[in-house]
Amino acid sequence: MKIALIGRGRLATNLLPALQHAGHDVVSVNSRTLEELPQTADAYIIAVKDSALADVIRAVTKGREEQVFMHTAGSMPMSLFQGLAHHYGVFYPMQSFSKERTVYFAEIPTFIEANDDKTKQVICQLAESVTQHVIELSSDDRQYLHLAAVFACNFVNHCYALAAEILEQHGMDFNVMLPLIDETARKVHQLHPLQAQTGPAIRYDENVIRHQLELLNDNPAAREIYERMSMNIHRKVTEK
């Protein structure tokens, strides 16, 4: 396929080599240099930040209304293209991307949506060329998928950052956490997260919880997170 990839962010940086490795002819342009965009292509993939998406869609689709377009945003609806293009959809690889790390695209679940059969055929062919896991999902359901991903990835990583801060303040290296983090991640491959939960909050060990809250007296934000999460973990476990 001849593909126009719009965007130079984290996702686009990882998607570009995956598309090239799959044998596609890819023209990659920054959203600020749209004059370089070809007038025709088999697919236009718009991979820009959510706040810029609507403006970029308007610019890219103008004069190309008959082409096939898709965006890559997990939380943004397919309807952003409505009235601006005839063939459009969504190509959402659900993964955490960083420019400093190369991901193995074949393992990434990719969620697709299309407004017509022509678009669906193009997006399916494109997705199946780079990943083994292609799932059709509506915009309504995808917003909940993205919400779940924020909890499972972004919020968890923030907890890593809080842990690193505590350790570094007391002369310890965050690397000591890695075996614990790795085992926790491996465990949920076999157990439901509720079954995998451990720690003082399960039994609501008030002595441990009270002491650890005291250790966080100089960090009110972390203290509040600790207290609320402990209460919620205990509530979830007792609901089982």
Side-chain angles (χ1 to χ4, degrees):
M1 278 192 206
K2 182 178 179 181
I3 297 170
L5 176 62
I6 299 97
R8 295 281 175 85
R10 292 189 296 269
L11 192 157
T13 298
N14 281 269
L15 180 56
L16 175 59
L19 292 169
Q20 291 172 329
H21 181 72
H24 299 292
D25 177 16
V26 186
V27 176
S28 177
V29 300
N30 194 294
S31 58
R32 298 186 185 88
T33 56
L34 292 179
E35 64 272 8
E36 301 173 13
L37 200 63
Q39 197 61 28
T40 60
D42 296 309
Y44 291 79
I45 305 175
I46 304 172
V48 300
K49 60 184 180 181
D50 290 1
S51 59
L53 188 55
D55 289 340
V56 173
I57 285 175
R58 279 192 291 272
V60 170
T61 55
K62 189 174 182 180
R64 302 181 181 88
E65 290 82 1
E66 295 297 330
Q67 304 299 305
V68 174
F69 299 92
M70 62 198 79
H71 72 63
T72 61
S75 61
M76 304 298 281
M78 181 177 68
S79 59
L80 287 176
F81 291 102
Q82 199 164 357
L84 299 171
H86 297 149
H87 310 290
Y88 54 85
V90 175
F91 173 92
Y92 171 52
M94 192 184 68
Q95 184 54 279
S96 174
F97 295 101
S98 298
K99 289 186 177 181
E100 300 81 7
R101 282 181 56 82
T102 301
V103 297
Y104 184 49
F105 233 91
E107 295 179 346
I108 298 175
T110 298
F111 297 85
I112 66 170
E113 186 179 15
N115 78 313
D116 60 23
D117 290 339
K118 175 182 177 178
T119 310
K120 182 178 178 180
Q121 182 178 358
V122 171
I123 297 180
C124 278
Q125 183 180 346
L126 178 64
E128 289 170 357
S129 72
V130 295
T131 180
Q132 301 168 6
H133 308 284
V134 180
I135 304 119
E136 193 170 354
L137 194 68
S138 69
S139 289
D140 286 344
D141 287 336
R142 195 176 64 257
Q143 66 181 346
Y144 289 103
L145 176 75
H146 189 263
L147 172 62
V150 168
F151 275 97
C153 175
N154 307 127
F155 288 175
V156 168
N157 190 75
H158 181 61
C159 288
Y160 296 160
L162 292 175
E165 182 180 36
I166 291 168
L167 291 168
E168 289 160 7
Q169 286 173 349
H170 297 277
M172 291 175 275
D173 194 297
F174 179 72
N175 285 341
V176 300
M177 292 286 115
L178 296 181
L180 176 64
I181 290 169
D182 291 343
E183 172 57 19
T184 303
R186 283 192 294 265
K187 204 184 314 188
V188 294
H189 282 261
Q190 298 177 328
L191 301 174
H192 188 280
L194 282 176
Q195 294 176 302
Q197 187 71 59
T198 61
I202 282 187
R203 56 191 180 274
Y204 212 76
D205 189 326
E206 293 189 31
N207 290 332
V208 173
I209 291 171
R210 188 183 306 111
H211 176 63
Q212 293 187 337
L213 285 170
E214 289 171 358
L215 294 177
L216 292 169
N217 280 340
D218 61 345
N219 190 338
R223 179 187 168 97
E224 183 179 5
I225 291 170
Y226 180 101
E227 188 168 26
R228 288 181 178 271
M229 289 191 72
S230 295
M231 291 174 63
N232 204 53
I233 289 169
H234 184 66
R235 181 179 64 81
K236 284 289 185 184
V237 169
T238 55
E239 283 177 355
K240 288 193 300 182

